[in-house]
């Protein structure tokens, strides 16, 4: 009799495995379960409801106290909704909530509100772990990677030489500087060579490598997002992904960063390494030096050494955590050290000898 005069309570309900929420109005828990099971195509037997925010079981008495539009989860027999509330976010990052996170990441609709809320929470938060999560959230939410010029994003250029007018120009220079440093290591080796003949040959090889590198504009394209896709290491938006240590096919931690997004990201990116799989100082340069002990610079396959020293053939972009500083134990390909250059020279010398013998 009294049920007839009860006012229906509107709530939002969803199933365990779905993110879609449905509006349901019910006068009591039993009616809610029936309507919910019908809407979500679930079995009524053993069905029960809990709060979406913290997993509290909803009883008939509790249901009557719920505010309108409370979010609920309809569970089947033996299903439970386990959550651990965070101060700054509810619900938390558990498997059933992945759907909501995905929706959040795919929309900018509430971005500004989320940024302001995170800033407010960060000022009062004492837990280092939660502060780290909030800081990372702000760092990525305040992404300004779509801006390119100094006038558009002055903060990004703080500490950057005034001659750089765009982010891409500076990032290109950043990559060129790293590659120039590798060339400097090659050139400095000349000073350590005692034998005049070997030193002269190594100097010739070094100058030739420098010319090749200059022609390629020091491969600055690797960090320049305006370059074509095969030439750059980042997406068109500027995202870089760690390629894993020298002995791995990929980064197991899936590290990524967009130095175009903020000044802080740009600075952090400077700790990422363009790492040589076959090591530069321990292996490549000594192999070149050894080859020149008994051969002329013109006998050496400098294209091979150029690729190993300065190109993506042997370079991997690696997050500092994934960078292994120990010996890589990888050797240069002995068949490529002389390669076509040596074979062509030998062939021409043999042909010359044959001509002379015929005369």
């Amino acid at each position: 009799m009294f049920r007839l005069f009860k006012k229906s309570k509107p709530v939002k309900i969803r199933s365990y495995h779905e993110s879609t929420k449905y509006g349901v109005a019910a006068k009591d828990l039993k009616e809610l379960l029936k309507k919910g099971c019908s809407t979500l195509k679930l079995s009524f037997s053993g069905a029960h409801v809990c709060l979406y925010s913290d997993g509290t079981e909803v009883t008939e008495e509790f249901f009557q106290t719920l505010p309108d539009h409370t979010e609920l989860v309809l569970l089947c027999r033996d299903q439970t909704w386990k959550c651990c509330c965070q101060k700054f976010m509810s619900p938390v990052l558990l498997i059933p909530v992945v759907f909501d996170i995905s929706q959040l990441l795919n929309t900018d609709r509430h971005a500004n509100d989320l940024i302001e809320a995170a800033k407010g929470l960060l000022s009062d938060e004492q837990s280092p772990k939660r502060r780290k999560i909030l800081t990372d959230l702000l760092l990525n939410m305040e992404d300004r990677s779509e801006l390119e010029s100094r006038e558009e994003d002055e903060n990004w250029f703080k500490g950057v030489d005034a001659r750089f007018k765009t982010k891409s120009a500076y990032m290109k220079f950043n990559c060129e500087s790293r590659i120039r440093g590798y060339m400097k290591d090659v050139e400095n080796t000349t000073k350590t060579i005692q034998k005049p003949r070997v030193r002269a040959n190594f100097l010739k090889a070094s100058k030739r490598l420098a010319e090749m590198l200059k022609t390629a504009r020091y491969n600055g394209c690797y960090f320049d997002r305006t370059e074509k896709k095969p030439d750059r290491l980042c997406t068109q938006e500027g995202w870089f992904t760690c390629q894993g240590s020298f002995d791995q096919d990929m980064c197991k931690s899936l590290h990524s960063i967009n130095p175009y997004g903020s000044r802080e990201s740009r600075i952090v990116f400077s700790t990422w390494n363009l790492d040589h799989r076959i090591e530069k100082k321990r292996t490549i340069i000594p192999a070149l030096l050894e080859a020149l002990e008994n051969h002329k610079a013109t006998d050496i396959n400098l294209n091979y050494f150029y690729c190993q020293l300065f190109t993506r053939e042997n370079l991997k972009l690696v997050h500092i955590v994934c960078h292994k500083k120990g010996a890589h134990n990888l050797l240069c390909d002995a068949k490529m050290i002389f390669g076509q250059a040596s074979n062509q020279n030998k062939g021409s010398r043999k042909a010359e000898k044959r001509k002379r013998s015929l005369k």
Side-chain angles (χ1 to χ4, degrees), residues 93-258:
L93 313 181
L94 293 175
I95 294 175
V97 191
V98 168
F99 299 102
D100 280 350
I101 296 173
S102 177
Q103 289 183 350
L104 177 63
L105 294 176
N106 285 327
T107 179
D108 294 327
R109 186 170 46 183
H110 304 298
N112 292 332
D113 292 338
L114 189 58
I115 289 172
E116 291 306 313
K119 284 181 177 178
L121 290 167
L122 182 60
S123 62
D124 297 326
E125 183 56 68
Q126 299 300 316
S127 167
K129 184 176 181 180
R130 292 176 181 176
R131 287 183 65 85
K132 175 66 168 59
I133 294 174
L134 285 166
T135 301
D136 288 348
L137 174 64
L138 285 170
L139 180 62
N140 287 287
M141 287 298 295
E142 295 184 296
D143 178 16
R144 296 169 64 82
S145 59
E146 75 279 3
L147 305 179
E148 174 69 8
S149 70
R150 183 181 285 269
E151 291 75 15
E152 292 174 319
D153 194 358
E154 291 183 2
N155 185 64
W156 191 93
F157 287 87
K158 285 184 179 179
V160 173
D161 193 289
R163 73 178 185 272
F164 298 106
K165 305 303 180 183
T166 65
K167 294 178 180 179
S168 297
Y170 175 76
M171 291 300 296
K172 184 174 184 178
F173 169 79
N174 182 285
C175 186
E176 290 176 356
S177 296
R178 300 192 190 201
I179 302 296
R180 286 174 186 269
Y182 304 156
M183 187 64 234
K184 199 70 176 177
D185 290 332
V186 176
E187 293 171 343
N188 288 339
T189 303
T190 307
K191 303 174 185 178
T192 67
I193 303 173
Q194 300 298 320
K195 298 179 181 179
R197 183 186 61 79
V198 178
R199 188 189 307 117
N201 277 333
F202 192 91
L203 184 60
K204 288 180 181 178
S206 176
K207 287 183 177 180
R208 177 58 185 144
L209 288 171
E211 290 171 0
M212 296 166 69
L213 197 53
K214 185 177 181 180
T215 301
R217 297 182 180 180
Y218 300 93
N219 294 325
C221 56
Y222 293 163
F223 289 0
D224 184 354
R225 65 178 177 181
T226 65
E227 292 285 348
K228 295 180 181 179
K229 190 174 181 179
D231 299 324
R232 64 177 189 253
L233 277 168
C234 60
T235 66
Q236 193 171 8
E237 295 74 27
W239 282 97
F240 291 83
T241 301
C242 174
Q243 297 176 322
S245 61
F246 76 94
D247 55 353
Q248 295 178 340
D249 293 331
M250 62 179 292
C251 171
K252 294 182 179 180
S253 299
L254 303 178
H255 295 121
S256 62
I257 190 171
N258 189 341

Side-chain angles (χ1 to χ4, degrees), residues 327-344:
H328 291 188
N329 297 320
L330 294 175
L331 301 176
C332 291
D333 187 344
K335 296 179 181 178
M336 296 297 296
I337 290 177
F338 300 102
Q340 294 180 356
S342 178
N343 291 334
Q344 288 175 357

